[in-house]
Amino acid sequence: MTERLEDIAQQMVQPGQGILAADESTGTIKKRFDSIGVENSEENRRDYREMLFRSQDAMNRAISGVILFEETLGQKAADGTPLVDLIKSAGAVPGIKVDKGAQDLSLRAGEKVTEGLDGLRERLENYYKQGARFAKWRGVIAIDKDRPSEGAIRANSHALSRYAALCQEAGIVPIVEPEVLMDGDPGDHSIERCHEVTEHVLHQVFKDLNSQNVKLEGMVLKPNMVVPGVNAAKQAGPEEVAAHTVAVLKRTVPSAVAGIAFLSGGQSDEEATANLNAMNAIGNLPWPLTYSYGRALQAAALKAWGGKVENIDAAKRAFTHRALMNSAAAKGAWNKDQERG
Ligand code: 5MM
């Protein structure tokens, strides 16, 4: 029997759990491996991700879903077990990044549009057969005093909504990820500017999702938090970030949406945890708020691993610690003292 989209979405945002974004494309994982001096080979990518998926405590207690890159979806662990089976046996849902990346938007200097709609219906059918039950598509929105243009917002929002409809048709829950960048160029925008842009983008996204008949109960939104640019003169603490982000979400996201799982976007590990915790501490929100972090869940584990087999246990411990901290934040129950654990 086909699983219901609503049930898969609920599983992905269940209390105290969140999503591990391990869908770095080959180019992005190369950057991560370069930072620890590890060769970007298929075997190293497999070993690193196998380490994450075999971190039992993290996977059982804090990870409800894993976003994979296409290569990982069909990959086997060193002992021959499909990596998808490791994820499933930990009670998590396997997911797949289906976009083909952000390309330059024509006649719009410095802006991008995400591509990958051509042939997506057929690809989704195959991903479903391979075990994927949710997908991810990321639209990238540049921000400064003049950008984003209305053209960039509309192009990305339209692609996100077309993608989401195709996923639901295939029995796959779409993660809809419109990311207003925090580390763009020059990246000195204020939190107020991020608030204004994020609100505008999310209004457009939900208008388009509605036009494409996307069922809100069967999707998960993956937005940026409302934060100042990385180079902004005035940075913001967790309470300020939480107040801005929750205000924007309340104005734009219908309560029928199954849940909201944030990206970390370049925040430090602890910032991403503290900001999520501050939002959940507000309470009485219409949707569960959780994490779908890439860097903020993996940075410590990547460093601890360093490409060496003898470091696997240390890397698992680092990943588990970070995952449990975020699990506490998803319940609004994190505090800085727990970091010492
Ligand atoms: C894990 O990184 C994802 C893939 O990036 P590329 O397509 O550029 O290789 C990325 O989309 C990620 O899923 C989200 O941006 C969230 O990651 P962060 O690190 O921002 O939490």
Side-chain angles (χ1 to χ4, degrees):
M1 197 185 79
T2 322
E3 300 112 301
R4 293 168 66 229
L5 292 169
E6 298 90 310
D7 296 338
I8 303 167
Q10 288 298 333
Q11 191 183 345
M12 291 162 63
V13 296
Q14 63 190 280
Q17 302 224 11
I19 295 161
L20 166 64
D23 58 316
E24 298 85 359
S25 53
T26 313
T28 303
I29 197 78
K30 179 176 186 313
K31 282 190 216 153
R32 308 279 183 265
F33 281 5
D34 283 350
S35 74
I36 53 164
V38 169
E39 188 201 343
N40 185 23
S41 64
E42 189 175 340
E43 195 179 336
N44 284 338
R45 293 194 292 273
R46 191 272 314 274
D47 288 351
Y48 171 64
R49 287 166 172 152
E50 181 176 346
M51 175 278 293
L52 294 173
F53 309 156
R54 283 197 194 272
S55 299
Q56 285 311 330
D57 222 21
M59 292 294 294
N60 291 339
R61 294 167 59 193
I63 302 296
S64 53
V66 184
I67 316 174
L68 303 171
F69 185 57
E70 195 169 17
E71 173 186 83
T72 322
L73 188 66
Q75 221 167 19
K76 291 195 164 94
D79 68 0
T81 313
L83 292 181
V84 164
D85 289 356
L86 293 184
I87 295 167
K88 285 197 218 157
S89 65
V93 186
I96 173 87
K97 183 236 296 291
V98 302
D99 67 64
K100 296 274 187 188
Q103 307 299 333
D104 289 341
L105 183 61
S106 45
L107 306 182
R108 295 282 186 196
E111 297 193 288
K112 305 264 181 198
V113 62
T114 302
E115 296 188 346
L117 288 173
D118 287 350
L120 182 56
R121 177 176 272 139
E122 293 71 29
R123 287 198 286 130
L124 285 167
E125 215 176 284
N126 283 327
Y127 297 144
Y128 187 94
K129 284 185 198 144
Q130 289 177 273
R133 289 296 176 271
F134 74 90
K136 189 206 87 172
W137 180 292
R138 172 171 170 255
V140 181
I141 308 291
I143 172 173
D144 61 20
K145 63 182 187 2
D146 304 313
R147 292 176 298 180
S149 64
E150 197 58 29
I153 295 173
R154 295 217 177 184
N156 278 291
S157 173
H158 178 259
L160 276 166
S161 61
R162 288 269 291 110
Y163 138 83
L166 282 160
C167 284
Q168 291 194 338
E169 182 187 79
I172 288 181
V173 169
I175 291 188
V176 173
E177 181 180 1
E179 176 176 6
V180 178
L181 294 173
M182 65 181 278
D183 57 358
D185 177 23
D188 60 356
H189 55 275
S190 64
I191 194 167
E192 289 77 16
R193 176 73 180 141
C194 182
H195 182 127
E196 175 186 39
V197 170
T198 306
E199 185 171 335
H200 187 68
V201 168
L202 290 176
H203 269 308
Q204 186 64 45
V205 167
F206 281 97
K207 200 171 160 197
D208 287 336
L209 289 167
N210 182 53
S211 305
Q212 298 303 329
N213 255 341
V214 172
K215 188 175 194 178
L216 300 178
E217 294 82 352
M219 65 159 276
V220 171
L221 178 71
K222 177 165 172 170
N224 53 284
M225 294 181 194
V226 176
V227 291
V230 276
N231 301 319
K234 189 172 169 287
Q235 290 297 317
E239 278 68 34
E240 199 182 346
V241 170
H244 276 282
T245 308
V246 166
V248 166
L249 295 174
K250 280 188 171 171
R251 285 181 156 214
T252 54
V253 184
S255 55
V257 168
I260 298 176
F262 292 97
L263 59 94
S264 59
Q267 298 176 42
S268 73
D269 297 0
E270 211 174 303
E271 261 174 340
T273 304
N275 289 341
L276 176 63
N277 185 67
M279 281 185 253
N280 279 307
I282 293 173
N284 282 326
L285 301 170
W287 351 251
L289 298 186
T290 189
Y291 45 94
S292 174
Y293 298 159
R295 287 162 285 182
L297 267 174
Q298 296 185 54
L302 182 77
K303 204 166 158 212
W305 175 62
K308 298 199 174 81
V309 72
E310 62 270 28
N311 292 340
I312 283 191
D313 284 344
K316 284 181 175 172
R317 280 197 298 277
F319 175 50
T320 302
H321 173 71
R322 207 61 253 142
L324 294 181
M325 291 299 97
N326 285 306
S327 166
K331 295 182 268 196
W334 172 87
N335 64 63
K336 215 176 163 47
D337 294 341
Q338 296 165 21
E339 288 293 337
R340 282 199 288 271

